[in-house]
Amino acid sequence: MERTYVMVKPDGVQRNLVGEIISRFEKKGFKIVGLRMLQMDRAIAEKHYGEHIGKPFFEGLVAYITSGPVVAMVLEGKDVVTAVRAMNGATNPANAGSGTIRGDFAIEVSRNVIHGSDSVESANREIAIYFTDKELCAYKKILEDWIYE
Ligand code: DAT
Ligand code: MG
């Protein structure tokens, strides 16, 4: 089964959206296989957002993402990378559809509440930043037979 890295950003934590966001992924049928809270520092931010170093918004992004604790998780399921991106909505909440997390809970691109990996390759890279193999749980849920044929 595919895995992806998902993170409730500091604004999501401060705005009491952690439960709502996790609940959406759980209700969809995705399985939480890793979960923790942490405060990111600059080094972790540069690792996570390495592709954006040097862009005009990078310093603001680092200040934002290190401004408070985040909730980091690994979700597992069929085509979960693409599905989570769709559930999160467009990067700029102004373009995110109603019913998506960013569409429903955010207004500005620099306060867009949630992160989701953009590919399986990115997911593997990002998961390794936040979790050791031992911190991820492989387990069977009885409900899976009602979610997958
Ligand atoms: P995504 O988070 O949808 O994968 P991204 O990887 O292009 O989007 O950018 C990472 C984060 O950086 C994004 O969630 C918010 C911030 N960001 C991107 N473009 C921005 C911009 N033009 N101005 C301010 N922040 C931006
Ligand atoms: Mg991205």
Side-chain angles (χ1 to χ4, degrees):
M1 271 293 183
E2 193 169 285
R3 288 179 171 179
T4 192
Y5 177 69
V6 179
M7 184 166 80
V8 182
K9 295 180 177 178
D11 48 342
V13 173
Q14 293 294 332
R15 294 177 54 208
N16 300 326
L17 294 172
V18 173
E20 163 78 31
I21 288 170
I22 291 177
S23 187
R24 287 186 176 210
F25 296 125
E26 276 193 310
K27 287 177 188 165
K28 169 80 172 170
F30 292 132
K31 183 160 65 181
I32 301 166
V33 299
L35 186 65
R36 66 183 281 229
M37 179 178 253
L38 73 146
Q39 171 106 26
M40 288 171 70
D41 59 18
R42 187 176 185 97
I44 300 175
E46 286 186 352
K47 234 180 182 180
H48 180 112
Y49 285 123
E51 63 180 308
H52 299 307
I53 291 175
K55 293 185 183 170
F57 61 84
F58 185 72
E59 288 306 320
L61 177 59
V62 171
Y64 160 54
I65 212 69
T66 61
S67 65
V70 299
V71 172
M73 72 195 95
V74 177
L75 299 179
E76 187 179 277
K78 186 178 180 185
D79 297 326
V80 67
V81 169
T82 302
V84 164
R85 294 282 291 188
M87 290 174 75
N88 287 358
T91 303
N92 189 336
N95 305 321
S98 179
T100 67
I101 291 166
R102 287 162 170 169
D104 290 351
F105 302 124
I107 294 174
E108 293 198 322
V109 67
S110 54
R111 297 289 184 273
N112 64 0
V113 167
I114 182 97
H115 168 82
S117 307
D118 64 9
S119 67
V120 172
E121 191 187 24
S122 298
N124 291 335
R125 189 185 69 80
E126 291 168 5
I127 288 168
I129 296 173
Y130 299 91
F131 294 92
T132 64
D133 284 346
K134 272 180 77 176
E135 289 169 333
L136 299 176
C137 299
Y139 62 105
K140 166 103 179 142
K141 287 177 101 171
I142 208 77
L143 270 177
E144 282 164 28
D145 291 340
W146 297 99
I147 293 167
Y148 298 104
E149 187 177 346

